[in-house]
Amino acid sequence: MTTELQGATAEHFELPCLSLHGKKALITGGSRGIGKATALTLANLGADVALTYYTGCKFADDVRDQIRDMGRRANCYAHDIGDPETIDELRSQVLNEFGQIDILVNNAGITRDRSFKKMTTEMWTDVLTVNLTGVFHMTKQFIDEMAEHGWGRVVNISSIVGEVGNFGQANYAAAKAGVIGLTKTLAREYAKRGVTVNAVAPGFTNTRMLQGVPDKALQAVTDMTPIGRLAEPAEIAAGVAFLASPAASYITGHVLSINGGMAM
C-alpha cells in the first residue's frame, strides 16, 4: 500500500513502500549468516519465506520456526544447489506449498581457497558450479513465472571479492564477478516484464565463512575498512530487503556494495 502526500502546489507524491505483505520469497543458503538474516528480515516485512540449506538442518529448522512465530508461512528444504536435478525437485516442492515465488535471493555459496599456483581444477570447478552455475539454474526455475505475473525481484549475492579480487580466491572472485555480469544481463532482458534483477556485494562479514581466518588477517581487513570493523549479517540483509521491496521498482542491474567503504 502506498501513501499519497499532497503539497500546496497540488503535487502528488507516493511514499516509498517497503512492505512485503502478500509476497513469497525463496532464499538459498538460508540457515545461517547472511541467508538467515535475510530470511528473518523479509519475514519481518511481511513475506512468506521458503529457505534452502545444504548442511545445518537444525539451524534451518530454527529459522523456519522463528518466521512462523511471526505469523508467516515458512518452510525449509534440503538441496544441493550444484546439482540441477535437485533444483528441479526443489522447484516442485516450493511451488506446491507456496504457489508462486515473487522474490528470489541467490545467497548460497562455498569457498575453496588456495593460491592460484596451488589451486586444483576440482577446487575451481566446485566453486564455479555452486556460486555461479547454481545461480543460473535457480534463476532459470523461477524468473519466467515472475515475468508472467508482471512482478518479481531477483537479488544475487555477489561479493567485494568479485569487484576487486583477493589473494587465494581466484575461483571465488571469478564466480562472484560472473554473478555481477549475469545480474546486469538479466536486468536488461526482464526490465520491461516487471522483474528487477540486482546484486548485493558484501564486504567482509561476520559469518562462519570467516572462521579459521587468522586474527592478524582480520585485523588487516578492518584496518583497510574506513568504518573499521566487519559487517554484520543484518546490515547486508537490509540492503537485500530494500532491493526486494516495491520501493526499489526503478532500480535494476545495480550492484549495491555494502563494504564499510573498503572499496569505493
Side-chain angles (χ1 to χ4, degrees):
M1 179 181 295
T2 59
T3 303
E4 289 191 355
L5 292 180
Q6 185 171 349
T9 60
E11 290 182 293
H12 293 272
F13 298 94
E14 290 188 351
L15 293 177
C17 176
L18 297 172
S19 172
L20 297 177
H21 283 279
K23 303 300 184 186
K24 299 174 176 63
L26 172 60
I27 301 155
T28 66
S31 63
R32 288 176 280 202
I34 292 171
K36 173 182 178 179
T38 298
L40 294 174
T41 300
L42 298 190
N44 188 55
L45 291 171
D48 295 330
V49 178
L51 58 103
T52 77
Y53 65 95
Y54 181 57
T55 61
C57 177
K58 66 178 182 179
F59 299 105
D61 288 346
D62 178 63
V63 177
R64 177 201 62 200
D65 292 344
Q66 288 186 58
I67 294 171
R68 288 178 176 175
D69 287 342
M70 297 180 191
R72 316 289 181 230
R73 179 185 301 176
N75 211 345
C76 51
Y77 306 87
H79 89 293
D80 178 4
I81 196 172
D83 183 352
E85 290 187 6
T86 67
I87 294 177
D88 290 341
E89 295 171 2
L90 172 70
R91 178 182 184 278
S92 297
Q93 293 172 338
V94 169
L95 294 182
N96 182 60
E97 180 163 356
F98 288 83
Q100 69 184 60
I101 291 298
D102 307 294
I103 300 163
L104 172 63
V105 181
N106 285 307
N107 168 73
I110 62 171
T111 57
R112 299 286 186 270
D113 297 347
R114 288 290 187 280
S115 66
F116 187 73
K117 183 176 182 179
K118 297 179 180 179
M119 185 172 292
T120 65
T121 301
E122 182 181 12
M123 296 167 71
W124 172 272
T125 302
D126 285 350
V127 170
L128 269 290
T129 296
V130 173
N131 295 8
L132 181 56
T133 306
V135 174
F136 166 83
H137 286 303
M138 284 296 301
T139 306
K140 192 80 169 173
Q141 293 287 357
F142 295 100
I143 194 170
D144 284 320
E145 288 192 11
M146 294 180 189
E148 289 175 7
H149 298 140
W151 199 96
R153 299 285 187 266
V154 178
V155 183
N156 297 320
I157 305 302
S158 180
S159 170
I160 188 174
V161 174
E163 297 180 299
V164 303
N166 194 37
F167 185 92
Q169 290 193 304
N171 48 5
Y172 190 78
K176 292 301 187 179
V179 166
I180 291 174
L182 177 62
T183 297
K184 291 177 178 290
T185 298
L186 294 180
R188 291 184 181 276
E189 292 188 9
Y190 285 88
K192 292 184 178 179
R193 304 181 67 187
V195 181
T196 66
V197 187
N198 293 287
V200 171
F204 290 86
T205 305
N206 187 20
T207 69
R208 70 190 184 100
M209 194 171 279
L210 292 184
Q211 290 178 358
V213 176
D215 290 341
K216 185 176 181 180
L218 290 178
Q219 185 61 51
V221 167
T222 57
D223 289 345
M224 290 187 291
T225 305
I227 287 183
R229 61 174 175 82
L230 300 177
E232 293 299 327
E235 294 172 311
I236 311 304
V240 175
F242 170 68
L243 292 173
S245 74
S249 60
Y250 202 63
I251 301 172
T252 196
H254 181 67
V255 181
L256 178 59
S257 297
I258 307 177
N259 57 44
M262 188 177 188
M264 301 185 189

